[in-house]
Amino acid sequence: MKIRVFTYTIIILIITGLALWLSLPTKKFGREFSIRKGLDLVGGTHITYEADMSKIDSRDRDRAQASLIDVIRRRVDALGVAEPVIQSTKVGDNFGLIVELPGVQDIDEAMRIIGKIAQLEFKEQSTGSETEYNFVSTGLTGADLKRADVQFDQNGKPEIALEFTTEGGKKFAEITKKNVGKPLAIYLDEQMLSAPTVQEEIREGKAVITGQFDMTEAKRFAIQLNAGALPVPIKIVEQTNIGATLGTDAIKKSLTAGIIGLFLVGFFMIIYYRLPGFLATLALLIYTLLVIAIFKLSNLTSFGVTLTLAGISAFILSIGMAVDANILIFERLKEELRAGKTLGAAIDAGFARAWSSVRDSNISSLITCVILIWLGTGLVRGFAVILAIAILISMFTAIMVTRTFLRLTVNTRLATKFSWFGVSSNQIAAEREGKGV
Amino acid sequence: MNIIVRRKIWFLISLLIIIPGIISLILWGMRWGLDFKGGTLLELEFSKKVDVNQIKDVLAPFNLKNLTIQSSGENKILIRTTAITKEEKDKIEDALNSKINKFNELRYETIGPVVSKDLTRKAIWAVILASVAIVFYIAFAFRKVPKPTNSWRFGICAILALIHDLLVVIGIFSILGHFFKIEIDSLFITALLTIMGFSVHDTIVVFDRIRENMRLRPEGDFEQIVNDSVVQTLDRSINTSLTVLIVLTALYLFGGETIKHFILALLVGIFIGTYSSIFTASPLLVVWQNWVQSRQTRRA
């Protein structure tokens, strides 16, 4: 028994040390180690798009959706946003996607880059017609592109250099050969960018688009052409822009509230439950460190926890609830002591009896968390995930940590000083009398 | 301390709290926020105080439907309308920029009707599912409870106490929505579900003790056993909720602005949840038991 308590204590110390090290905002292994912050803390934009699958056969829709997500992902990556979120959604027959861009400065430009179909087409004059704007598709499209880059002409104006694939290069050679002396129009999303006259057959598979675009536009086209055209058009059904200033303010305030809350709870516990209360407060501090450490660790996996304002409240709420299990156990402990048991026996009996209460009541909270995770999105889900993790960890610390701490007191001088546990000798005597012993 | 005997008083108190809420619900309903109604919300911070009427004039030519403008905090303005497109919003911001003053866009949210309907549906489902799951779970956890009562009663009484709590919170927020313009968003639903989890948490503490006492005193009077259990767990119930309420109060007073209403809902809900575990769920068990017994004796 003593050996077990000793081993547990060592384990707890090691875990606490680790948790402390992980929680502190310093660099570890040369990397920043922090919790991913949600939009409401960092600012940015959250957009829900709906994909227009009307022109796609229902059997091909899943594939179209997959390719849509791919293209969008490539475009978002090219934006250079840290930790974007791109999620495919399907509600009944509706295909949609959610894009979250934290910390984006120019939201409008980002949306222009993402939202346009960006279908590039080369069109030639239809045979037999002499009219200027009667252009017909040549079959050479953006799909035949290998690369698009921004470059500058002699006057410093931006232009877009295209490099075709081998197939595309062959097509391009044929088209230019056919259209020498005639205009070859370049269309982007049904709008003509430019229509240069073909000088000669071009066999290198390279072309340059010049036009009236500024640097921003040129970059945008390059990103879109490289990522590929969207297979289906998308439109915005929901958008939330959040300014960053609200976020930093909120973090500060929540941290303050959390620390104040922690203090008050500790204070209350010590006054009401004395020694066990003090031990529980220690366990609570360990619990806080553990939760922070686990959140940070989760970022290394694909199930990274995203912290939002609601998530912070979930965490702070859980502090109040974590103490709960301890209270259940301590009340039991007092009863067992009043009934005349020794400290060691009372501790064990207290834990054993209280466990069913602790287990059942926490499971019901977990049930609601699971439902929230399943049915909720974004903010709601973040709250539920954090609350669920917090509840699980709190059960662990209450059972393992508090019990070990309590057991440590068994073989000390305090073992007979029941007043430290909130039980007076009068109460024990009264209990005995009541039993008629 | 005789709690169960005075149950009529507690039921009366519950009614007194719930009825104003229900009246408010019938008269004024809930003040549904963007998440459920759909629409556009724009929160702008100007460098100095701006008159709401000025904004109204600038926005007049846009013919926005269901337009409300309110000032919040120092120099902030909240504009709400039915959903508008991004282009319209840009034009509006340009107009405000040139005609009034420069501003900082704090928040821009727009939700189309399809998304908001989806959210509403999910919210209702969530509450129903959670209730059913909880009834089943309690019935399962208490399956070995001895006669004369059965495990389903525990589950159902717990849910009735839960419905009581939800009614109180929803009623209060209906009143707050009408008089203080506080809106319901998806976080409110989250609060409701958290309250459900927590209220059951608390109720189980009492029920667990009732179960234990029933095992210890198999021949005892049910009403007496329930009363003793409630009294024995009083300290525990109150303290466990107290710690959570302390923390929530700290959050409400010192925490961020945007979640204040969320925290308020939690505060009210958890407080009522504790009350209902002691004064509603347990007395209901007794009432049910007595009713079943009186039917049995009538038949005999």
Side-chain angles (χ1 to χ4, degrees):
Chain A
M1 168 63 165
K2 273 199 212 162
I3 301 179
R4 207 154 35 122
V5 176
F6 190 61
T7 328
Y8 283 169
T9 315
I10 300 290
I11 295 179
I12 290 175
L13 284 174
I14 294 179
I15 294 183
T16 309
L18 260 173
L20 186 61
W21 177 63
L22 284 171
S23 303
L24 289 177
T26 54
K27 283 204 173 141
K28 296 154 209 352
F29 309 123
R31 271 198 303 173
E32 278 301 324
F33 204 51
S34 59
I35 310 180
R36 175 144 56 123
K37 299 206 186 81
L39 271 191
D40 57 352
L41 296 180
V42 133
T45 187
H46 168 109
I47 313 166
T48 307
Y49 288 101
E50 194 182 284
D52 180 4
M53 294 279 185
S54 53
K55 298 209 179 86
I56 309 276
D57 186 59
S58 50
R59 280 168 302 162
D60 297 324
R61 283 184 186 177
D62 283 311
R63 223 174 324 144
Q65 174 80 340
S67 121
L68 175 67
I69 301 293
D70 265 342
V71 174
I72 301 269
R73 191 162 284 139
R74 266 176 269 157
R75 292 186 186 181
V76 171
D77 281 343
L79 282 176
V81 173
E83 303 180 356
V85 171
I86 303 161
Q87 252 179 314
S88 170
T89 67
K90 187 169 170 201
V91 179
D93 287 325
N94 292 322
F95 287 84
L97 66 141
I98 296 178
V99 176
E100 241 177 61
L101 305 171
V104 168
Q105 295 303 327
D106 191 350
I107 298 176
D108 290 333
E109 180 60 20
M111 287 171 60
R112 245 175 260 137
I113 293 182
I114 297 175
K116 294 278 177 195
I117 296 188
Q119 175 70 281
L120 186 76
E121 274 186 302
F122 286 81
K123 298 194 183 182
E124 57 189 357
Q125 266 185 332
S126 70
T127 45
S129 93
E130 292 302 318
T131 48
E132 267 205 49
Y133 296 118
N134 207 349
F135 283 100
V136 172
S137 181
T138 58
L140 183 65
T141 67
D144 300 304
L145 274 184
K146 189 164 151 195
R147 251 210 90 71
D149 285 307
V150 178
Q151 65 184 34
F152 300 92
D153 66 8
Q154 309 110 306
N155 299 320
K157 263 186 37 178
E159 41 183 41
I160 302 185
L162 301 176
E163 190 185 325
F164 292 101
T165 57
T166 348
E167 265 300 310
K170 283 195 206 131
K171 278 196 223 167
F172 191 52
E174 280 174 33
I175 294 170
T176 46
K177 185 159 156 200
K178 222 171 66 172
N179 285 283
V180 174
K182 287 198 267 184
L184 181 64
I186 307 174
Y187 279 72
L188 188 66
D189 284 338
E190 304 297 323
Q191 275 194 310
M192 182 165 15
L193 282 185
S194 78
T197 316
V198 181
Q199 304 295 332
E200 51 176 7
E201 178 191 2
I202 301 178
R203 270 184 273 173
E204 305 91 48
K206 293 207 175 114
V208 174
I209 308 180
T210 56
Q212 263 83 357
F213 19 83
D214 58 26
M215 195 55 193
T216 321
E217 281 177 311
K219 270 200 214 153
R220 188 191 322 148
F221 292 148
I223 293 179
Q224 287 170 334
L225 292 176
N226 277 322
L230 294 182
V232 287
I234 54 178
K235 78 163 194 256
I236 301 176
V237 289
E238 186 247 316
Q239 176 182 357
T240 305
N241 292 3
I242 303 189
T245 44
L246 269 182
T248 35
D249 193 43
I251 300 181
K252 248 185 272 168
K253 287 207 176 134
S254 302
L255 276 178
T256 318
I259 295 178
I260 293 180
L262 207 68
F263 260 111
L264 287 174
V265 171
F267 192 60
F268 167 75
M269 287 296 279
I270 296 179
I271 290 195
Y272 204 85
Y273 292 105
R274 308 190 195 197
L275 181 63
F278 173 70
L279 296 174
T281 309
L282 279 182
L284 200 61
L285 288 171
I286 295 181
Y287 162 74
T288 312
L289 289 174
L290 260 179
V291 172
I292 296 179
I294 290 189
F295 284 163
K296 288 195 177 182
L297 276 176
S298 72
N299 260 329
L300 296 176
T301 71
S302 50
F303 295 103
V305 168
T306 305
L307 196 63
T308 60
L309 210 54
I312 294 182
S313 346
F315 175 39
I316 296 181
L317 185 68
S318 74
I319 293 179
M321 292 168 74
V323 198
D324 173 46
N326 289 304
I327 292 180
L328 281 173
I329 295 164
F330 294 161
E331 288 286 347
R332 270 297 177 181
L333 179 60
K334 280 207 280 194
E335 280 181 29
E336 301 292 339
L337 283 176
R338 276 191 213 120
K341 292 213 172 78
T342 63
L343 186 60
I347 291 176
D348 287 337
F351 269 87
R353 288 253 177 82
W355 170 240
S356 64
S357 241
V358 172
R359 177 199 61 203
D360 289 345
S361 52
N362 275 319
I363 288 189
S364 61
S365 299
L366 284 173
I367 290 179
T368 50
C369 282
V370 164
I371 292 180
L372 277 173
I373 293 175
W374 184 40
L375 285 175
T377 54
L379 206 61
V380 171
R381 188 177 278 186
F383 172 83
V385 166
I386 292 184
L387 193 61
I389 295 179
I391 290 178
L392 289 170
I393 299 181
S394 77
M395 285 210 279
F396 164 75
T397 44
I399 302 305
M400 239 245 156
V401 178
T402 314
R403 179 156 60 167
T404 307
F405 283 171
L406 277 176
R407 286 216 182 115
L408 279 174
T409 65
V410 170
N411 293 306
T412 67
R413 277 174 296 146
L414 295 168
T416 45
K417 297 219 170 77
F418 289 171
S419 56
W420 283 67
F421 292 81
V423 175
S424 70
S425 33
N426 293 338
Q427 289 176 331
I428 301 181
E431 197 64 25
R432 282 221 193 97
E433 306 242 316
K435 280 200 181 142
V437 167
Chain B
M1 215 184 309
N2 222 320
I3 297 187
I4 302 295
V5 161
R6 302 209 182 97
R7 55 182 176 274
K8 298 227 175 91
I9 303 183
W10 316 132
F11 290 156
L12 193 63
I13 296 182
S14 292
L15 277 178
L16 284 176
I17 304 179
I18 294 183
I19 288 190
I22 297 201
I23 296 180
S24 170
L25 271 173
I26 298 177
L27 283 181
W28 303 309
M30 301 290 280
R31 186 170 285 263
W32 298 105
L34 213 57
D35 289 343
F36 299 107
K37 262 191 341 201
T40 299
L41 171 124
L42 209 52
E43 184 172 7
L44 312 170
E45 185 173 36
F46 290 85
S47 41
K48 48 187 169 86
K49 212 158 169 40
V50 179
D51 183 26
V52 167
N53 289 316
Q54 267 187 297
I55 310 250
K56 231 189 261 180
D57 291 331
V58 174
L59 294 180
F62 289 96
N63 277 326
L64 300 165
K65 297 205 197 67
N66 289 336
L67 173 65
T68 64
I69 309 171
Q70 61 184 107
S71 71
S72 89
E74 287 289 303
N75 308 320
K76 301 191 206 143
I77 296 281
L78 234 70
I79 302 176
R80 287 194 187 87
T81 81
T82 32
I84 54 174
T85 64
K86 179 103 188 350
E87 289 76 34
E88 285 181 278
K89 168 239 189 211
D90 287 335
K91 284 198 205 121
I92 290 176
E93 289 196 330
D94 285 335
L96 286 172
N97 214 339
S98 55
K99 297 219 183 106
I100 300 192
N101 217 335
K102 272 214 296 246
F103 56 79
N104 198 4
E105 183 190 275
L106 290 179
R107 263 196 301 161
Y108 162 54
E109 295 180 29
T110 172
I111 298 191
V114 172
V115 175
S116 58
K117 248 189 242 151
D118 191 44
L119 254 146
T120 313
R121 198 177 48 94
K122 282 192 180 156
I124 299 179
W125 263 115
V127 175
I128 295 179
L129 267 175
S131 311
V132 171
I134 289 174
V135 171
F136 271 90
Y137 176 66
I138 296 184
F140 170 74
F142 282 75
R143 65 193 176 283
K144 298 213 192 102
V145 81
K147 305 269 188 190
T149 181
N150 69 40
S151 61
W152 290 103
R153 277 190 224 167
F154 280 87
I156 294 183
C157 284
I159 288 294
L160 286 176
L162 212 90
I163 295 178
H164 162 278
D165 299 336
L166 291 180
L167 278 177
V168 170
V169 177
I170 293 178
I172 290 186
F173 268 76
S174 167
I175 298 178
L176 287 176
H178 178 80
F179 289 108
F180 295 96
K181 302 215 179 358
I182 294 184
E183 288 191 339
I184 308 292
D185 59 3
S186 44
L187 269 185
F188 179 75
I189 305 295
T190 311
L192 285 184
L193 277 132
T194 311
I195 292 169
M196 286 174 78
F198 206 79
S199 166
V200 177
H201 178 115
D202 208 51
T203 309
I204 288 184
V205 167
V206 182
F207 281 6
D208 182 67
R209 184 55 79 106
I210 295 178
R211 167 174 56 176
E212 187 184 321
N213 282 336
M214 283 177 74
R215 284 205 194 111
L216 288 176
R217 292 143 63 173
E219 298 306 318
D221 170 43
F222 188 65
E223 180 167 334
Q224 191 58 43
I225 292 180
V226 172
N227 194 63
D228 289 344
S229 311
V230 170
V231 171
Q232 284 164 9
T233 56
L234 209 54
D235 263 351
R236 205 194 286 176
S237 272
I238 295 182
N239 284 344
T240 60
S241 304
L242 203 57
T243 52
V244 178
L245 290 173
I246 289 178
V247 160
L248 282 175
T249 310
L251 259 178
Y252 186 72
L253 295 174
F254 304 105
E257 280 297 316
T258 41
I259 49 168
K260 260 201 159 53
H261 303 149
F262 172 56
I263 304 292
L264 183 64
L266 283 176
L267 266 170
V268 173
I270 291 183
F271 176 75
I272 289 291
T274 315
Y275 169 87
S276 72
S277 308
I278 303 171
F279 298 104
T280 311
S282 311
L284 275 177
L285 267 180
V286 173
V287 165
W288 194 333
Q289 179 63 21
N290 290 346
W291 180 72
V292 167
Q293 265 176 346
S294 70
R295 264 186 37 187
Q296 285 177 342
T297 44
R298 244 186 289 141
R299 281 210 197 111

